[in-house]
mmCIF file with all atom_site columns, all heavy atoms in Angstrom:
data_model
loop_
_atom_site.group_PDB
_atom_site.id
_atom_site.type_symbol
_atom_site.label_atom_id
_atom_site.label_alt_id
_atom_site.label_comp_id
_atom_site.label_asym_id
_atom_site.label_entity_id
_atom_site.label_seq_id
_atom_site.pdbx_PDB_ins_code
_atom_site.Cartn_x
_atom_site.Cartn_y
_atom_site.Cartn_z
_atom_site.occupancy
_atom_site.B_iso_or_equiv
_atom_site.pdbx_formal_charge
_atom_site.auth_seq_id
_atom_site.auth_comp_id
_atom_site.auth_asym_id
_atom_site.auth_atom_id
_atom_site.pdbx_PDB_model_num
ATOM 1  N N   . VAL A 1 9   ? -17.774 10.400  35.392  1.00 0.00 ? 9   VAL A N   1
ATOM 2  C CA  . VAL A 1 9   ? -18.042 11.191  36.594  1.00 0.00 ? 9   VAL A CA  1
ATOM 3  C C   . VAL A 1 9   ? -19.507 11.077  37.009  1.00 0.00 ? 9   VAL A C   1
ATOM 4  O O   . VAL A 1 9   ? -19.821 11.080  38.208  1.00 0.00 ? 9   VAL A O   1
ATOM 5  C CB  . VAL A 1 9   ? -17.636 12.668  36.364  1.00 0.00 ? 9   VAL A CB  1
ATOM 6  C CG1 . VAL A 1 9   ? -18.509 13.328  35.297  1.00 0.00 ? 9   VAL A CG1 1
ATOM 7  C CG2 . VAL A 1 9   ? -17.672 13.437  37.672  1.00 0.00 ? 9   VAL A CG2 1
ATOM 8  N N   . GLU A 1 78  ? -6.384  10.361  -7.414  1.00 0.00 ? 78  GLU A N   1
ATOM 9  C CA  . GLU A 1 78  ? -7.586  11.180  -7.642  1.00 0.00 ? 78  GLU A CA  1
ATOM 10 C C   . GLU A 1 78  ? -8.714  10.821  -6.668  1.00 0.00 ? 78  GLU A C   1
ATOM 11 O O   . GLU A 1 78  ? -9.860  10.625  -7.047  1.00 0.00 ? 78  GLU A O   1
ATOM 12 C CB  . GLU A 1 78  ? -8.049  11.049  -9.095  1.00 0.00 ? 78  GLU A CB  1
ATOM 13 C CG  . GLU A 1 78  ? -6.995  11.512  -10.095 1.00 0.00 ? 78  GLU A CG  1
ATOM 14 C CD  . GLU A 1 78  ? -7.488  11.490  -11.532 1.00 0.00 ? 78  GLU A CD  1
ATOM 15 O OE1 . GLU A 1 78  ? -8.321  12.356  -11.854 1.00 0.00 ? 78  GLU A OE1 1
ATOM 16 O OE2 . GLU A 1 78  ? -7.039  10.623  -12.305 1.00 0.00 ? 78  GLU A OE2 1
ATOM 17 N N   . ARG A 1 142 ? 10.299  8.505   12.121  1.00 0.00 ? 142 ARG A N   1
ATOM 18 C CA  . ARG A 1 142 ? 11.239  7.798   12.986  1.00 0.00 ? 142 ARG A CA  1
ATOM 19 C C   . ARG A 1 142 ? 11.685  8.682   14.146  1.00 0.00 ? 142 ARG A C   1
ATOM 20 O O   . ARG A 1 142 ? 11.835  8.220   15.283  1.00 0.00 ? 142 ARG A O   1
ATOM 21 C CB  . ARG A 1 142 ? 12.458  7.359   12.170  1.00 0.00 ? 142 ARG A CB  1
ATOM 22 C CG  . ARG A 1 142 ? 13.470  6.526   12.969  1.00 0.00 ? 142 ARG A CG  1
ATOM 23 C CD  . ARG A 1 142 ? 14.720  6.312   12.163  1.00 0.00 ? 142 ARG A CD  1
ATOM 24 N NE  . ARG A 1 142 ? 15.323  7.594   11.796  1.00 0.00 ? 142 ARG A NE  1
ATOM 25 C CZ  . ARG A 1 142 ? 16.232  7.738   10.845  1.00 0.00 ? 142 ARG A CZ  1
ATOM 26 N NH1 . ARG A 1 142 ? 16.623  6.703   10.140  1.00 0.00 ? 142 ARG A NH1 1
ATOM 27 N NH2 . ARG A 1 142 ? 16.737  8.929   10.579  1.00 0.00 ? 142 ARG A NH2 1
ATOM 28 N N   . TYR A 1 179 ? 11.812  -11.246 -21.659 1.00 0.00 ? 179 TYR A N   1
ATOM 29 C CA  . TYR A 1 179 ? 10.669  -11.972 -22.201 1.00 0.00 ? 179 TYR A CA  1
ATOM 30 C C   . TYR A 1 179 ? 10.242  -11.386 -23.545 1.00 0.00 ? 179 TYR A C   1
ATOM 31 O O   . TYR A 1 179 ? 9.995   -12.127 -24.513 1.00 0.00 ? 179 TYR A O   1
ATOM 32 C CB  . TYR A 1 179 ? 9.518   -11.915 -21.196 1.00 0.00 ? 179 TYR A CB  1
ATOM 33 C CG  . TYR A 1 179 ? 8.213   -12.483 -21.690 1.00 0.00 ? 179 TYR A CG  1
ATOM 34 C CD1 . TYR A 1 179 ? 8.104   -13.810 -22.102 1.00 0.00 ? 179 TYR A CD1 1
ATOM 35 C CD2 . TYR A 1 179 ? 7.060   -11.693 -21.726 1.00 0.00 ? 179 TYR A CD2 1
ATOM 36 C CE1 . TYR A 1 179 ? 6.894   -14.330 -22.539 1.00 0.00 ? 179 TYR A CE1 1
ATOM 37 C CE2 . TYR A 1 179 ? 5.860   -12.201 -22.157 1.00 0.00 ? 179 TYR A CE2 1
ATOM 38 C CZ  . TYR A 1 179 ? 5.773   -13.525 -22.562 1.00 0.00 ? 179 TYR A CZ  1
ATOM 39 O OH  . TYR A 1 179 ? 4.567   -14.033 -23.000 1.00 0.00 ? 179 TYR A OH  1
ATOM 40 N N   . GLU A 1 182 ? 12.635  -12.470 -26.155 1.00 0.00 ? 182 GLU A N   1
ATOM 41 C CA  . GLU A 1 182 ? 12.416  -13.881 -26.508 1.00 0.00 ? 182 GLU A CA  1
ATOM 42 C C   . GLU A 1 182 ? 11.244  -14.032 -27.478 1.00 0.00 ? 182 GLU A C   1
ATOM 43 O O   . GLU A 1 182 ? 11.233  -14.955 -28.302 1.00 0.00 ? 182 GLU A O   1
ATOM 44 C CB  . GLU A 1 182 ? 12.151  -14.708 -25.251 1.00 0.00 ? 182 GLU A CB  1
ATOM 45 C CG  . GLU A 1 182 ? 13.380  -14.892 -24.362 1.00 0.00 ? 182 GLU A CG  1
ATOM 46 C CD  . GLU A 1 182 ? 13.036  -15.531 -23.030 1.00 0.00 ? 182 GLU A CD  1
ATOM 47 O OE1 . GLU A 1 182 ? 11.831  -15.723 -22.749 1.00 0.00 ? 182 GLU A OE1 1
ATOM 48 O OE2 . GLU A 1 182 ? 13.969  -15.814 -22.247 1.00 0.00 ? 182 GLU A OE2 1
ATOM 49 N N   . LYS A 1 235 ? -2.806  12.368  -28.359 1.00 0.00 ? 235 LYS A N   1
ATOM 50 C CA  . LYS A 1 235 ? -1.857  13.239  -29.060 1.00 0.00 ? 235 LYS A CA  1
ATOM 51 C C   . LYS A 1 235 ? -0.652  12.453  -29.577 1.00 0.00 ? 235 LYS A C   1
ATOM 52 O O   . LYS A 1 235 ? -0.101  12.779  -30.641 1.00 0.00 ? 235 LYS A O   1
ATOM 53 C CB  . LYS A 1 235 ? -1.399  14.347  -28.110 1.00 0.00 ? 235 LYS A CB  1
ATOM 54 C CG  . LYS A 1 235 ? -0.423  15.338  -28.736 1.00 0.00 ? 235 LYS A CG  1
ATOM 55 C CD  . LYS A 1 235 ? -0.046  16.431  -27.738 1.00 0.00 ? 235 LYS A CD  1
ATOM 56 C CE  . LYS A 1 235 ? 0.936   17.427  -28.355 1.00 0.00 ? 235 LYS A CE  1
ATOM 57 N NZ  . LYS A 1 235 ? 1.305   18.499  -27.395 1.00 0.00 ? 235 LYS A NZ  1
ATOM 58 N N   . VAL A 1 266 ? -6.523  -0.483  -32.261 1.00 0.00 ? 266 VAL A N   1
ATOM 59 C CA  . VAL A 1 266 ? -5.260  -1.223  -32.137 1.00 0.00 ? 266 VAL A CA  1
ATOM 60 C C   . VAL A 1 266 ? -5.536  -2.508  -31.371 1.00 0.00 ? 266 VAL A C   1
ATOM 61 O O   . VAL A 1 266 ? -6.086  -2.481  -30.271 1.00 0.00 ? 266 VAL A O   1
ATOM 62 C CB  . VAL A 1 266 ? -4.191  -0.398  -31.403 1.00 0.00 ? 266 VAL A CB  1
ATOM 63 C CG1 . VAL A 1 266 ? -2.885  -1.185  -31.289 1.00 0.00 ? 266 VAL A CG1 1
ATOM 64 C CG2 . VAL A 1 266 ? -3.965  0.936   -32.110 1.00 0.00 ? 266 VAL A CG2 1
ATOM 65 N N   . GLN A 1 315 ? 14.357  -6.892  19.020  1.00 0.00 ? 315 GLN A N   1
ATOM 66 C CA  . GLN A 1 315 ? 15.207  -7.992  18.567  1.00 0.00 ? 315 GLN A CA  1
ATOM 67 C C   . GLN A 1 315 ? 16.096  -7.560  17.407  1.00 0.00 ? 315 GLN A C   1
ATOM 68 O O   . GLN A 1 315 ? 17.040  -8.235  17.045  1.00 0.00 ? 315 GLN A O   1
ATOM 69 C CB  . GLN A 1 315 ? 14.346  -9.183  18.142  1.00 0.00 ? 315 GLN A CB  1
ATOM 70 C CG  . GLN A 1 315 ? 13.559  -9.814  19.273  1.00 0.00 ? 315 GLN A CG  1
ATOM 71 C CD  . GLN A 1 315 ? 12.701  -10.971 18.799  1.00 0.00 ? 315 GLN A CD  1
ATOM 72 O OE1 . GLN A 1 315 ? 12.931  -11.544 17.737  1.00 0.00 ? 315 GLN A OE1 1
ATOM 73 N NE2 . GLN A 1 315 ? 11.712  -11.329 19.603  1.00 0.00 ? 315 GLN A NE2 1
#
Side-chain angles (χ1 to χ4, degrees):
V9 66
E78 300 185 72
R142 184 188 59 196
Y179 173 60
E182 289 171 354
K235 181 178 180 180
V266 180
Q315 295 179 20

